[in-house]
Amino acid sequence: MKSRGYAAKSANSPLESYEFERRDLGAHDVALDISYAGICHSDIHQVAEEWGPAIFPMVPGHEIAGVVTAIGTSVSKFSVGDKIGVGVFVDSCRVCSSCVQGLQQYCVEGMTGTYNGLERDGKTVAMGGYSNNFVINEDYAVKIPANLPMDGVAPLLCAGITLYSPIKHWNVKPGMKVAVMGLGGLGHMGVKFAVAKGAEVTVLSHSPSKESDALSMGAHHFVSTKDSENLKPLAKKFDLILNTVSAELEIGDFLNLLTLDGTLVVIGLPGKPYAVHAGALLNGRRRIAGSMIGGIPEMQEMLDFCGKHNIVSDVEVIKADYINEAYKRTVASDVKYRFVIDATTF
Ligand code: NAP
Ligand code: ZN
Ligand code: ZN
């Protein structure tokens, strides 16, 4: 299947228009015309090889919302015309204990990424969502609720599920004090979900100009981290801290904000390790944990939750030729709060 999109030809080179082939429709596959593709900071890390050597040309994009145009002969879950979403992985081993539990993101063989990796045949380079169409095995796509706008839905496929999953796992509920570090694509979804679950939500941000947006998203408090003095009154306050920051930071300063038995969940993935002082963990029996996206059943649950509560991402819709500028602005924390590419402009 012919596809037209945007690719990086080498590390750090600007993305440019690119034509390529996708696999033909298999019996269990659905083809879709992409409507919108979100720009995740993970795309930027990978194009810049901040996570290690990458495969080029790279068509990034793992926040895909589209409409089914054709179905394989054995497809039962979707029909032509359905609105569907594709996230960070397109396949997995299907038989390991994680996959059997629907936690495909933790597949023991490793999930099959939507781009910057090989498909399960071991030779086809996976090409992501910055393009006009896509082919996916029906088991790895999810249904989009009819009442939600497709541009605001696209970021739910990564940013949304990546915050929904830890918020569910750590059982966020009324009475809990939750902090979200970084009000970007992931962080703003964390605010919306934690507020919807009834928690008292504080945004910890190094961009003071985001305060009014944070409060209008439902956050109860906003604290500028630019001045570390501002963190002192927050010592031992939070039950759960969701760290979505894409850059390296002094994680110990934030561990100290956890109450007894509190947990700081690492979600942001900067290229360099954090330095953790043992004392920051011993004191208060604190935990540092991680969380990575979510599995297919949880992605569907998240989308249904969003449909019910009318939750979508706040987006800036752009044309394909603005991608490179959008990358620069995202790195500068200047996005409100997710760039989404109109796929008709590829
Ligand atoms: P993003 O939109 O760029 O948001 C990151 C936010 O971090 C920024 O808006 C900014 O918030 C804060 N920040 C950035 N640089 C900072 C600095 N130097 N010091 C302090 N704060 C800074 O990125 P995103 O798409 O939400 O992704 C966030 C991170 O999560 C990335 O590392 C990405 O790769 C990772 N990620 C992880 C998963 C997973 O499964 N765990 C999934 C997707 C993405 P303020 O302006 O409010 O300070
Ligand atoms: Zn992502
Ligand atoms: Zn598996």
Side-chain angles (χ1 to χ4, degrees), residues 268-316:
L269 186 48
K272 297 209 183 89
Y274 297 119
V276 180
H277 193 283
L281 291 172
L282 311 188
N283 188 357
R285 202 161 56 192
R286 298 175 177 126
R287 295 177 205 127
I288 186 163
S291 187
M292 189 169 78
I293 43 174
I296 294 294
E298 198 171 33
M299 283 169 71
Q300 190 61 60
E301 179 187 311
M302 178 272 308
L303 285 174
D304 295 343
F305 182 88
C306 289
K308 194 168 155 208
H309 295 266
N310 247 307
I311 293 175
V312 283
S313 174
D314 294 3
V315 294
E316 292 189 49

Side-chain angles (χ1 to χ4, degrees), residues 90-234:
V90 291
D91 213 333
S92 64
C93 87
R94 297 166 184 251
V95 295
C96 75
S97 59
S98 300
C99 284
V100 168
Q101 290 177 71
L103 298 170
Q104 295 89 350
Q105 76 275 31
Y106 303 124
C107 175
V108 296
E109 285 188 9
M111 63 184 179
T112 305
T114 305
Y115 67 86
N116 191 24
L118 299 179
E119 293 187 4
R120 291 201 73 76
D121 65 6
K123 51 181 199 253
T124 308
V125 175
M127 294 293 189
Y130 294 6
S131 67
N132 61 341
N133 58 25
F134 206 80
V135 180
I136 179 136
N137 184 292
E138 64 168 334
D139 297 334
Y140 290 79
V142 285
K143 291 185 182 141
I144 294 174
N147 61 318
L148 298 179
M150 292 289 268
D151 52 357
V153 162
L156 302 179
L157 279 309
C158 174
I161 184 60
T162 300
L163 272 294
Y164 184 88
S165 187
I167 282 170
K168 185 177 177 204
H169 184 79
W170 276 277
N171 194 19
V172 169
K173 55 181 191 243
M176 265 176 95
K177 289 187 168 67
V178 175
V180 177
M181 292 168 60
L183 194 69
L186 269 58
H188 91 293
M189 292 313 307
V191 170
K192 291 185 184 207
F193 288 135
V195 167
K197 297 277 186 185
E200 182 180 330
V201 178
T202 301
V203 171
L204 305 175
S205 165
H206 85 315
S207 305
S209 64
K210 294 181 181 174
E211 176 162 6
S212 60
D213 288 343
L215 299 179
S216 63
M217 288 172 202
H220 304 90
H221 315 281
F222 180 94
V223 176
S224 166
T225 56
K226 275 214 147 143
D227 181 355
S228 58
E229 282 295 305
N230 291 345
L231 295 181
K232 285 191 178 152
L234 303 179

